[in-house]
Amino acid sequence: MGLNLKSRLGTALVLSAGSALFLAACGSDNSGDDDSGTAADEGPVTIEFWGWVPGLEEAVEQWNDENPNIQVDFFRMTGDDGDKIPAAIDAGTAPDVVQMSVHSLPGHIVNNRLSDLTEVAGHLEDHFTPSAWGSVVFDGTLYAIPQDSGPTGLMYRKDIFDEHGIDVPTTWDEFIEAGRELKDADPDITIAQFSPNEIGFWVQSVWQNGGSWNGIEGDAWTVNVADPESLEVAEVWQTLLDEDLVTTVEMWTPEYWAEINAGTIATVNYAAWFPVLLEDSAESTAGNWAVAPSPTFEGSDAAGDTGGSVNVIPTGTEHVEQAAAFVEWLNTSEDGLEHLINGGIFPSAVAGLEHENLLTEEEFFGGQVINEVFAEAALTVPATWVDGPTYDLIQDAFRDEFAQVANGRKTFAEALEDLHARTVADLTDMGLSVHE
């Protein structure tokens, strides 16, 4: 497949967080080692695992067959089950292992809800892409094991590009120019859409450009929402919007899928988990799509990422080592990765990027092995993104501000300045120190 994993890993950036995440109100020792047993030596224990990846039942069944001393009791999360986790941890009734969004980590960390996994799982670093590992280490402490990620690729209508003789863009400058060519060739088709309700597009672009919404500096959080990396992304999208090169439509709505099916949106630059949704919702367009690497910013070959899910071990868990042993097997072993990939996720483990079950021809994309593009992208994502404790609040604020951009009441740059101020206020209201 042409991937040179070791060389790509060798050149990737490595996250170096600051030294004081625990500027938070809660700063007590949350090490999970105190009450843990020894996974290999202690008698049979049963740990409870909550997750949502399809097929986890089969993975747990295999683990239980092969590990009589560490039995796993699996609960499939649906609906609002994730919302129950914080209260369960605080009450001491949480499962031993929980799947959650990587973006949720800091909010739990500052509330002392996650076990320190550095001693029991810190040796796993080389099993994962640098960006995935960087997302679970704060202040040098490991709080989760990466499970899946969302590296980006450019899904494009090959038939439309071929019909009008437009080259597939490799940079964001070329993307804008391709949008202009497409508008001249057929004014009814736009090169992409702007969706104020889907913040993942913005996250992936800022991440691709080496930026982040938050960081850690000394004894305080930093807010980087309007930093140069974000403003460069804003410049690209302001041009696309001002020149009517993109249509504005809310993502996931019937109107959005109608445009996709009608072929009036020519590209979707998004995460590795999107192709299956595209296939399900735009069956009539089968065979017309292809996937290319995401357009890049000048001087960089980095791809973006939307983030993914992780496995955590809540504080209060009695059997940290046993839980960690199961999580390690699930996310790094050949058998565990096969279960995860067959469940439809894009793995964070490097070994998963070369797994034969991931690299299959996709009929919807004309027989292309599209995950080769996403696997290559996963190795180029900068390890610069740092989630903050107010991630959910920032997301909501972005939606509000971008709705005003869509209505022409603000520019992207103006919205980012206002978002910066709101983010500082949210962190301050939580009692956290903030470097502005």
Side-chain angles (χ1 to χ4, degrees), residues 19-321:
S19 59
L21 176 66
F22 308 103
L23 348 161
C26 301
S28 61
D29 178 14
N30 69 342
S31 169
D33 294 336
D34 294 346
D35 298 323
S36 65
T38 302
D41 298 334
E42 289 195 348
V45 301
T46 298
I47 59 175
E48 187 177 3
F49 169 36
W50 284 26
W52 63 73
V53 177
L56 280 175
E57 290 84 352
E58 289 77 12
V60 168
E61 181 178 0
Q62 179 180 352
W63 168 269
N64 285 341
D65 288 344
E66 297 173 356
N67 297 274
N69 281 347
I70 306 175
Q71 293 292 284
V72 176
D73 186 9
F74 175 65
F75 174 79
R76 173 161 297 287
M77 300 173 75
T78 59
D80 62 352
D81 285 332
D83 297 337
K84 303 173 184 174
I85 295 300
I89 297 175
D90 294 344
T93 59
D96 302 280
V97 179
V98 179
Q99 182 181 3
M100 65 173 54
S101 166
V102 67
H103 300 303
S104 299
L105 289 180
H108 290 294
I109 293 169
V110 300
N111 284 295
N112 196 33
R113 292 187 176 122
L114 303 182
S115 296
D116 176 352
L117 304 182
T118 308
E119 290 191 16
V120 294
H123 61 282
L124 298 177
E125 178 175 0
D126 291 343
H127 287 269
F128 296 95
T129 64
S131 59
W133 191 258
S135 297
V136 296
V137 177
F138 295 83
D139 193 29
T141 300
L142 177 68
Y143 286 99
I145 303 302
Q147 186 154 87
D148 67 275
S149 61
T152 62
L154 182 69
M155 288 151 268
Y156 69 98
R157 285 289 298 263
K158 187 174 186 304
D159 56 331
I160 293 174
F161 276 73
D162 288 347
E163 178 184 355
H164 298 298
I166 299 172
D167 292 334
V168 177
T170 61
T171 67
W172 285 111
D173 286 341
E174 291 179 5
F175 188 84
I176 293 172
E177 188 56 39
R180 292 168 178 152
E181 293 179 34
L182 187 55
K183 181 180 179 182
D184 290 341
D186 189 339
D188 293 330
I189 303 176
T190 59
I191 195 165
Q193 97 281 355
F194 169 49
S195 297
N197 67 326
E198 185 60 17
I199 304 307
F201 284 114
W202 195 262
V203 170
Q204 67 178 19
S205 295
V206 175
W207 197 337
Q208 178 188 22
N209 204 23
S212 178
W213 286 351
N214 288 107
I216 303 167
E217 184 177 319
D219 61 353
W221 290 92
T222 62
V223 177
N224 313 313
V225 173
D227 275 11
E229 292 82 5
S230 291
L231 291 173
E232 188 173 5
V233 176
E235 186 176 350
V236 169
W237 279 94
Q238 196 67 57
T239 301
L240 292 167
L241 200 59
D242 288 347
E243 296 188 22
D244 293 325
L245 304 181
V246 294
T247 187
T248 299
V249 60
E250 297 280 284
M251 192 101 173
W252 315 116
T253 61
E255 292 78 13
Y256 170 74
W257 288 116
E259 294 227 35
I260 290 291
N261 277 283
T264 55
I265 297 174
T267 74
V268 183
N269 181 59
Y270 214 25
W273 45 261
F274 187 77
V276 66
L277 303 178
L278 181 64
E279 182 176 351
D280 288 345
S281 300
E283 186 178 356
S284 66
T285 65
N288 294 329
W289 294 87
V291 181
S294 290
T296 57
F297 291 94
E298 184 175 358
S300 170
D301 67 350
D305 200 313
T306 59
S309 68
V310 298
N311 289 150
V312 301
I313 299 176
T315 50
T317 298
E318 293 185 4
H319 306 293
V320 173
E321 288 192 12

Side-chain angles (χ1 to χ4, degrees), residues 202 206 213 223-235 398 401-402 405 410-423:
W202 195 262
V206 175
W213 286 351
V223 177
N224 313 313
V225 173
D227 275 11
E229 292 82 5
S230 291
L231 291 173
E232 188 173 5
V233 176
E235 186 176 350
F398 260 90
E401 293 290 334
F402 280 6
V405 173
K410 287 184 178 180
T411 65
F412 280 101
E414 290 170 343
L416 292 179
E417 290 297 334
D418 290 342
L419 283 161
H420 177 93
R422 291 175 66 171
T423 306

